[in-house]
Amino acid sequence: MRAWIGMIGLLCAFGASAAPKIAVTDLAYEARVEEYIHQVSASNNFQASAYHASGASNYSEYESRTSYIEQTELRKFSGDIKGEILKSHQFQLVQGTPYTADAKGDVYDVIKRIKAGHFKGADYVLFGTLSDIDFTQDINALDHTNSYSAVLGLTLVADFSLINTRTYEITSAFTAMGEGQDTKLVSSRDVRVSLNRPRVVKEVSKALGEDVARQLAEQLGGGYQEPGQPVLRNNLPRDEAPKILR
Protein backbone atom coordinates (compact mmCIF):
# COMPACT_ATOMS: atom_id res chain seq x y z
CA MET A 1 0.00 0.00 0.00
CA ARG A 2 2.81 2.38 0.89
CA ALA A 3 4.48 1.59 -2.43
CA TRP A 4 1.34 2.66 -4.33
CA ILE A 5 1.08 5.87 -2.30
CA GLY A 6 4.72 6.63 -3.07
CA MET A 7 4.15 6.01 -6.79
CA ILE A 8 1.11 8.34 -6.82
CA GLY A 9 3.08 11.02 -4.99
CA LEU A 10 5.89 10.76 -7.56
CA LEU A 11 3.43 11.16 -10.44
CA CYS A 12 1.88 14.18 -8.72
CA ALA A 13 5.29 15.74 -8.23
CA PHE A 14 5.99 15.31 -11.94
CA GLY A 15 2.65 16.88 -12.78
CA ALA A 16 3.39 19.84 -10.52
CA SER A 17 6.58 20.63 -12.42
CA ALA A 18 5.14 20.10 -15.91
CA ALA A 19 6.05 22.89 -18.28
CA PRO A 20 3.30 25.24 -19.52
CA LYS A 21 1.70 24.38 -22.86
CA ILE A 22 2.34 26.78 -25.73
CA ALA A 23 0.92 27.09 -29.24
CA VAL A 24 3.12 28.68 -31.93
CA THR A 25 1.36 30.49 -34.76
CA ASP A 26 2.69 30.83 -38.28
CA LEU A 27 3.84 34.35 -39.18
CA ALA A 28 0.87 36.63 -39.86
CA TYR A 29 1.15 39.15 -42.66
CA GLU A 30 -0.90 41.11 -45.15
CA ALA A 31 -0.16 42.14 -48.72
CA ARG A 32 -1.84 44.39 -51.26
CA VAL A 33 -3.11 42.48 -54.29
CA GLU A 34 -3.77 44.39 -57.52
CA GLU A 35 -5.86 43.12 -60.43
CA TYR A 36 -6.07 44.58 -63.94
CA ILE A 37 -8.78 43.51 -66.38
CA HIS A 38 -8.95 44.60 -70.05
CA GLN A 39 -11.60 43.05 -72.31
CA VAL A 40 -12.22 43.85 -75.98
CA SER A 41 -15.20 42.50 -77.92
CA ALA A 42 -15.82 43.04 -81.67
CA SER A 43 -18.27 41.45 -84.09
CA ASN A 44 -19.56 41.95 -87.64
CA ASN A 45 -23.05 41.09 -88.90
CA PHE A 46 -23.46 40.97 -92.73
CA GLN A 47 -26.64 40.16 -94.58
CA ALA A 48 -27.10 39.94 -98.38
CA SER A 49 -30.12 39.44 -100.62
CA ALA A 50 -30.97 39.75 -104.34
CA TYR A 51 -31.91 43.38 -103.88
CA HIS A 52 -29.47 44.84 -101.29
CA ALA A 53 -26.74 44.17 -98.79
CA SER A 54 -26.38 45.49 -95.24
CA GLY A 55 -23.89 45.17 -92.48
CA ALA A 56 -23.31 46.27 -88.90
CA SER A 57 -20.38 46.05 -86.54
CA ASN A 58 -20.33 46.01 -82.76
CA TYR A 59 -17.33 46.99 -80.65
CA SER A 60 -17.01 47.21 -76.89
CA GLU A 61 -14.11 47.66 -74.52
CA TYR A 62 -13.96 47.21 -70.74
CA GLU A 63 -11.10 48.14 -68.42
CA SER A 64 -10.93 47.79 -64.66
CA ARG A 65 -8.28 48.14 -61.95
CA THR A 66 -8.93 46.87 -58.44
CA SER A 67 -6.79 46.38 -55.35
CA TYR A 68 -7.42 44.80 -51.98
CA ILE A 69 -5.58 43.71 -48.86
CA GLU A 70 -5.07 39.97 -48.45
CA GLN A 71 -4.34 38.55 -45.00
CA THR A 72 -2.72 35.16 -44.46
CA GLU A 73 0.07 33.33 -42.61
CA LEU A 74 3.56 32.48 -43.83
CA ARG A 75 3.99 28.79 -43.03
CA LYS A 76 7.62 28.15 -43.97
CA PHE A 77 9.35 29.42 -40.85
CA SER A 78 7.52 28.08 -37.78
CA GLY A 79 8.94 24.54 -37.81
CA ASP A 80 12.38 25.50 -36.53
CA ILE A 81 10.84 27.84 -33.96
CA LYS A 82 8.92 24.90 -32.53
CA GLY A 83 12.01 22.68 -32.68
CA GLU A 84 14.22 25.12 -30.80
CA ILE A 85 11.53 25.68 -28.16
CA LEU A 86 11.32 21.91 -27.62
CA LYS A 87 15.11 21.73 -27.22
CA SER A 88 14.92 24.31 -24.44
CA HIS A 89 12.59 22.06 -22.38
CA GLN A 90 10.78 25.20 -21.18
CA PHE A 91 7.43 24.40 -22.76
CA GLN A 92 5.19 21.65 -24.02
CA LEU A 93 3.85 22.31 -27.52
CA VAL A 94 0.25 22.03 -28.68
CA GLN A 95 -1.05 22.49 -32.21
CA GLY A 96 -3.31 25.46 -32.89
CA THR A 97 -5.76 26.01 -35.74
CA PRO A 98 -4.02 27.72 -38.67
CA TYR A 99 -5.47 30.81 -40.31
CA THR A 100 -6.90 30.04 -43.76
CA ALA A 101 -8.17 32.04 -46.72
CA ASP A 102 -11.73 31.13 -45.70
CA ALA A 103 -11.33 32.74 -42.27
CA LYS A 104 -13.50 35.83 -41.86
CA GLY A 105 -11.67 37.35 -38.90
CA ASP A 106 -8.60 39.56 -38.75
CA VAL A 107 -5.40 37.49 -38.78
CA TYR A 108 -3.87 40.00 -36.35
CA ASP A 109 -6.73 39.73 -33.83
CA VAL A 110 -5.11 36.92 -31.86
CA ILE A 111 -7.30 37.58 -28.80
CA LYS A 112 -10.42 36.89 -30.86
CA ARG A 113 -8.81 33.72 -32.21
CA ILE A 114 -8.00 32.60 -28.66
CA LYS A 115 -11.59 33.22 -27.55
CA ALA A 116 -12.83 31.30 -30.58
CA GLY A 117 -10.94 28.21 -29.40
CA HIS A 118 -8.25 28.15 -32.10
CA PHE A 119 -5.58 27.23 -29.52
CA LYS A 120 -7.30 24.65 -27.34
CA GLY A 121 -5.21 23.31 -24.48
CA ALA A 122 -2.60 26.07 -24.71
CA ASP A 123 -1.63 28.12 -21.66
CA TYR A 124 0.20 30.58 -23.90
CA VAL A 125 0.26 31.53 -27.59
CA LEU A 126 3.47 32.67 -29.24
CA PHE A 127 2.04 35.02 -31.86
CA GLY A 128 4.39 36.07 -34.65
CA THR A 129 3.89 38.76 -37.30
CA LEU A 130 6.09 39.31 -40.34
CA SER A 131 7.82 42.72 -40.26
CA ASP A 132 10.09 42.47 -43.29
CA ILE A 133 11.34 39.88 -45.77
CA ASP A 134 13.96 40.70 -48.38
CA PHE A 135 15.54 38.54 -51.10
CA THR A 136 18.72 39.93 -52.69
CA GLN A 137 20.76 38.59 -55.61
CA ASP A 138 24.09 40.14 -56.67
CA ILE A 139 27.22 39.37 -58.65
CA ASN A 140 30.34 40.97 -57.21
CA ALA A 141 33.88 41.15 -58.56
CA LEU A 142 36.57 39.56 -56.38
CA ASP A 143 39.62 41.73 -55.81
CA HIS A 144 42.85 40.68 -57.58
CA THR A 145 41.12 37.86 -59.50
CA ASN A 146 39.21 37.32 -62.71
CA SER A 147 36.35 35.68 -60.83
CA TYR A 148 33.04 36.85 -59.49
CA SER A 149 30.86 35.78 -56.60
CA ALA A 150 27.14 35.23 -57.20
CA VAL A 151 25.20 35.68 -53.98
CA LEU A 152 21.59 34.95 -53.11
CA GLY A 153 20.59 36.27 -49.70
CA LEU A 154 17.45 36.36 -47.59
CA THR A 155 16.71 38.35 -44.45
CA LEU A 156 13.52 37.91 -42.44
CA VAL A 157 12.42 39.99 -39.45
CA ALA A 158 9.38 39.16 -37.30
CA ASP A 159 7.78 40.49 -34.12
CA PHE A 160 6.67 38.05 -31.42
CA SER A 161 4.38 38.26 -28.39
CA LEU A 162 3.82 35.53 -25.81
CA ILE A 163 0.19 35.86 -24.71
CA ASN A 164 -1.51 34.28 -21.71
CA THR A 165 -4.67 32.55 -23.00
CA ARG A 166 -6.53 33.11 -19.72
CA THR A 167 -5.66 36.74 -18.90
CA TYR A 168 -4.54 37.90 -22.39
CA GLU A 169 -1.49 39.42 -20.74
CA ILE A 170 1.62 39.82 -22.92
CA THR A 171 4.25 37.92 -20.94
CA SER A 172 7.13 38.39 -23.37
CA ALA A 173 7.69 40.50 -26.50
CA PHE A 174 10.65 40.82 -28.86
CA THR A 175 11.82 41.10 -32.48
CA ALA A 176 13.74 38.19 -34.00
CA MET A 177 15.70 37.90 -37.23
CA GLY A 178 16.95 35.13 -39.51
CA GLU A 179 19.55 35.47 -42.27
CA GLY A 180 20.92 33.07 -44.88
CA GLN A 181 22.78 33.08 -48.17
CA ASP A 182 24.16 30.90 -50.94
CA THR A 183 27.37 31.90 -52.75
CA LYS A 184 28.99 30.49 -55.90
CA LEU A 185 32.13 31.50 -57.80
CA VAL A 186 31.64 32.30 -61.50
CA SER A 187 34.05 33.34 -64.26
CA SER A 188 31.90 36.07 -65.78
CA ARG A 189 29.10 38.47 -64.92
CA ASP A 190 27.14 37.14 -67.88
CA VAL A 191 27.25 33.48 -66.94
CA ARG A 192 23.99 31.89 -65.90
CA VAL A 193 24.18 30.51 -62.38
CA SER A 194 21.64 28.54 -60.36
CA LEU A 195 21.68 29.47 -56.68
CA ASN A 196 20.17 27.23 -54.02
CA ARG A 197 17.02 29.05 -52.87
CA PRO A 198 15.67 26.16 -50.69
CA ARG A 199 18.95 26.03 -48.72
CA VAL A 200 18.81 29.77 -48.11
CA VAL A 201 15.24 29.49 -46.81
CA LYS A 202 16.32 26.61 -44.55
CA GLU A 203 19.19 28.64 -43.09
CA VAL A 204 16.90 31.58 -42.41
CA SER A 205 14.33 29.33 -40.73
CA LYS A 206 16.94 27.77 -38.44
CA ALA A 207 18.50 31.14 -37.53
CA LEU A 208 15.07 32.59 -36.79
CA GLY A 209 14.16 29.64 -34.56
CA GLU A 210 17.40 29.96 -32.59
CA ASP A 211 16.90 33.70 -32.11
CA VAL A 212 13.33 33.19 -30.88
CA ALA A 213 14.35 30.48 -28.38
CA ARG A 214 17.29 32.58 -27.16
CA GLN A 215 15.14 35.65 -26.50
CA LEU A 216 12.43 33.60 -24.79
CA ALA A 217 15.10 32.14 -22.49
CA GLU A 218 16.50 35.60 -21.76
CA GLN A 219 13.11 37.06 -20.87
CA LEU A 220 11.56 34.09 -19.08
CA GLY A 221 14.42 31.98 -17.80
CA GLY A 222 16.69 34.60 -16.30
CA GLY A 223 19.36 34.34 -19.00
CA TYR A 224 20.45 32.48 -22.11
CA GLN A 225 22.44 29.28 -21.73
CA GLU A 226 25.01 28.27 -24.33
CA PRO A 227 24.39 24.92 -26.10
CA GLY A 228 25.43 21.98 -23.93
CA GLN A 229 24.88 23.86 -20.68
CA PRO A 230 22.01 23.13 -18.25
CA VAL A 231 18.85 24.85 -19.39
CA LEU A 232 17.29 27.42 -17.10
CA ARG A 233 13.61 26.81 -16.45
CA ASN A 234 11.15 29.56 -17.27
CA ASN A 235 9.41 31.63 -14.62
CA LEU A 236 5.88 31.04 -15.87
CA PRO A 237 3.34 29.26 -13.63
CA ARG A 238 3.36 25.46 -13.87
CA ASP A 239 0.32 23.25 -14.34
CA GLU A 240 -1.37 22.50 -11.01
CA ALA A 241 -0.89 19.01 -9.66
CA PRO A 242 -4.02 16.89 -9.11
CA LYS A 243 -5.14 16.69 -5.50
CA ILE A 244 -5.22 13.29 -3.77
CA LEU A 245 -8.14 12.49 -1.54
CA ARG A 246 -7.22 10.44 1.51
Side-chain angles (χ1 to χ4, degrees):
M1 184 65 180
R2 290 182 178 179
W4 278 109
I5 293 176
M7 179 70 72
I8 293 173
L10 184 63
L11 292 174
C12 291
F14 178 80
S17 62
K21 299 179 178 66
I22 181 174
V24 178
T25 70
D26 293 305
L27 300 180
Y29 78 98
E30 62 182 19
R32 180 175 294 277
V33 179
E34 297 187 356
E35 293 182 346
Y36 172 72
I37 300 174
H38 186 200
Q39 294 179 338
V40 176
S41 177
S43 63
N44 264 323
N45 294 324
F46 181 78
Q47 294 179 343
S49 66
Y51 303 101
H52 68 278
S54 63
S57 61
N58 296 317
Y59 176 85
S60 64
E61 186 173 0
Y62 172 77
E63 186 176 24
S64 172
R65 294 179 184 270
T66 60
S67 66
Y68 58 93
I69 299 296
E70 181 181 67
Q71 292 188 337
T72 186
E73 287 182 330
L74 192 62
R75 310 200 190 282
K76 295 182 179 180
F77 298 97
S78 60
D80 281 301
I81 294 175
K82 295 175 182 177
E84 293 298 326
I85 289 175
L86 285 175
K87 288 180 185 178
S88 73
H89 304 293
Q90 289 186 302
F91 300 97
Q92 301 177 69
L93 288 184
V94 298
Q95 182 62 49
T97 302
Y99 186 90
T100 65
D102 297 330
K104 297 181 180 179
D106 186 345
V107 67
Y108 294 103
D109 194 348
V110 65
I111 301 301
K112 184 176 181 180
R113 295 169 63 186
I114 291 173
K115 291 179 178 178
H118 293 184
F119 308 102
K120 291 182 179 180
D123 301 306
Y124 297 86
V125 173
L126 183 63
F127 179 61
T129 63
L130 181 66
S131 298
D132 186 62
I133 184 168
D134 183 35
F135 263 109
T136 58
Q137 187 167 353
D138 297 305
I139 295 182
N140 304 309
L142 298 177
D143 294 339
H144 311 298
T145 72
N146 295 323
S147 301
Y148 298 84
S149 63
V151 181
L152 175 66
L154 173 62
T155 301
L156 184 147
V157 180
D159 296 322
F160 293 88
S161 297
L162 187 66
I163 301 168
N164 188 310
T165 58
R166 296 180 179 85
T167 65
Y168 312 124
E169 174 190 5
I170 296 177
T171 308
S172 175
F174 52 88
T175 298
M177 182 174 71
E179 293 181 295
Q181 70 175 30
D182 183 36
T183 304
K184 291 185 179 179
L185 295 179
V186 294
S187 59
S188 169
R189 283 185 178 275
D190 301 324
V191 68
R192 187 172 182 179
V193 59
S194 177
L195 293 165
N196 196 328
R197 185 184 178 106
R199 186 170 72 183
V200 173
V201 172
K202 182 179 179 181
E203 286 184 3
V204 171
S205 178
K206 182 169 180 57
L208 181 67
E210 291 174 346
D211 196 16
V212 169
R214 176 184 63 82
Q215 295 200 60
L216 276 176
E218 286 179 348
Q219 294 191 18
L220 302 178
Y224 175 63
Q225 294 295 102
E226 294 295 334
Q229 298 298 317
V231 178
L232 293 172
R233 304 292 292 183
N234 66 61
N235 295 322
L236 299 175
R238 266 41 174 188
D239 293 340
E240 292 184 0
K243 295 181 179 179
I244 302 176
L245 298 178
R246 295 182 177 178

